[in-house]
Amino acid sequence: MCQLRRFRIAFNSRHGWNRPHVDQWLSYVLCHSRKELHLDLCFRLGPTCAHRARDDDRRRLTPGSWYQLPRGLFSCTAMRSLCLSYCRLNLPAAINLPFLETLRLTGVDHGDSGSSIQRLIASCPCLVDLTLEANNKLQKVSILDKRLRRFTLWCCHSMKSVDIDASDLTSLDYRGTHDRIKINTFFVEISNTKRLHLHHQRIPFSYDFQGFPLFPNLTQLALQGGIHSADGVRGILE
């Protein structure tokens, strides 16, 4: 019997004729995955950040046109990695993803301020790699019951609070606006990380580094953004 291990789709945009085809494909995949499944479902290609998306991209992404995921997807015990982009979460009352290690959510329609995403994360006991990207309604995430090794937070511009157990964190990738006090507090929590990748629209002329923590285990640092002065970079390195 055929056993699928990986399945990926990527649409440039969503059209009505795609919906029954995707339903059939996913039904087949879920029925023929036994030991291990890596699923990547992308329903839009293009800029991820809503602040950078073009007007025609925004029109194409009206929530009513998004694909609604089948609830059976969230009870697939073979799932090891799940990457969802620009689709509607349709969570069942009980989520059963006991072996999921990698979860990536990009621009998903969760219909609330983040409780659905929080419930999905909480239902993945083996999660070690989490990416949250362009989820503009997401305001708070708490991941204190898991020891993530990799955490990516990109363009979640409504985010007010992130609580994580960073004792095993080796990689942090962050892009977004920041409040100095809040971002410094967050950096203190993940100061044991070995890899740090920061995106900034522009690295400022100067920055008040009071409260900015030391990173004693850091071996790889990437700074991405327009450099208006070497002083800002020098302050980070010091």
Side-chain angles (χ1 to χ4, degrees):
M1 179 181 293
C2 176
Q3 294 187 14
L4 288 174
R5 298 185 61 182
R6 296 182 182 275
F7 183 73
R8 182 178 188 269
I9 58 174
F11 289 111
N12 189 45
S13 61
R14 275 284 300 119
H15 298 287
W17 62 268
N18 291 135
R19 191 179 302 272
H21 291 85
V22 177
D23 288 341
Q24 293 174 8
W25 296 339
L26 289 181
S27 177
Y28 183 89
V29 168
L30 295 176
C31 288
H32 291 82
S33 58
R34 294 291 183 268
K35 296 181 178 180
E36 181 178 336
L37 178 61
H38 302 270
L39 200 60
D40 187 347
L41 307 178
C42 177
F43 292 91
R44 184 183 72 89
L45 301 175
T48 55
C49 182
H51 290 184
R52 299 180 181 181
R54 300 172 303 177
D55 290 340
D56 57 340
D57 292 323
R58 293 192 183 100
R59 285 194 295 269
R60 231 178 13 232
L61 290 175
T62 55
S65 68
W66 288 9
Y67 178 75
Q68 181 167 282
L69 296 165
R71 292 189 171 184
L73 185 148
F74 300 101
S75 299
C76 178
T77 57
M79 197 82 70
R80 295 296 187 274
S81 66
L82 179 60
C83 302
L84 304 174
S85 301
Y86 298 101
C87 50
R88 178 177 295 173
L89 292 182
N90 184 28
L91 300 180
I95 301 171
N96 187 23
L97 298 171
F99 303 113
L100 187 72
E101 296 181 347
T102 299
L103 177 64
R104 188 180 75 213
L105 302 175
T106 301
V108 296
D109 178 21
H110 46 90
D112 51 41
S113 61
S115 60
S116 295
I117 289 179
Q118 182 66 62
R119 187 161 71 90
L120 176 57
I121 294 172
S123 302
C124 304
C126 293
L127 192 65
V128 294
D129 187 347
L130 175 64
T131 296
L132 301 173
E133 181 179 16
N135 297 298
N136 295 318
K137 295 180 181 179
L138 187 60
Q139 297 181 8
K140 180 179 180 180
V141 171
S142 178
I143 321 165
L144 296 175
D145 60 338
K146 298 171 182 59
R147 292 189 172 183
L148 295 179
R149 292 200 292 267
R150 293 172 295 276
F151 180 47
T152 299
L153 183 65
W154 274 26
C155 300
C156 295
H157 297 298
S158 298
M159 186 70 73
K160 298 179 180 179
S161 173
V162 177
D163 297 316
I164 65 173
D165 180 347
S167 55
D168 289 340
L169 194 70
T170 60
S171 176
L172 170 70
D173 197 340
Y174 174 78
R175 172 189 287 180
T177 57
H178 70 267
D179 173 271
R180 182 182 64 82
I181 296 176
K182 290 181 179 180
I183 200 67
N184 283 359
T185 301
F186 177 62
F187 282 149
V188 168
E189 295 182 2
I190 53 89
S191 58
N192 288 325
T193 189
K194 296 179 181 178
R195 176 187 174 275
L196 186 62
H197 190 176
L198 299 177
H199 299 255
H200 199 287
Q201 185 174 0
R202 66 177 183 87
I203 297 175
F205 290 97
S206 61
Y207 186 88
D208 183 0
F209 288 93
Q210 183 177 358
F212 200 81
L214 296 176
F215 291 84
N217 300 320
L218 195 67
T219 59
Q220 182 178 346
L221 173 65
L223 303 175
Q224 185 171 338
I227 299 177
H228 286 211
S229 170
D231 292 338
V233 177
R234 187 179 302 113
I236 294 175
L237 295 178
E238 292 175 351

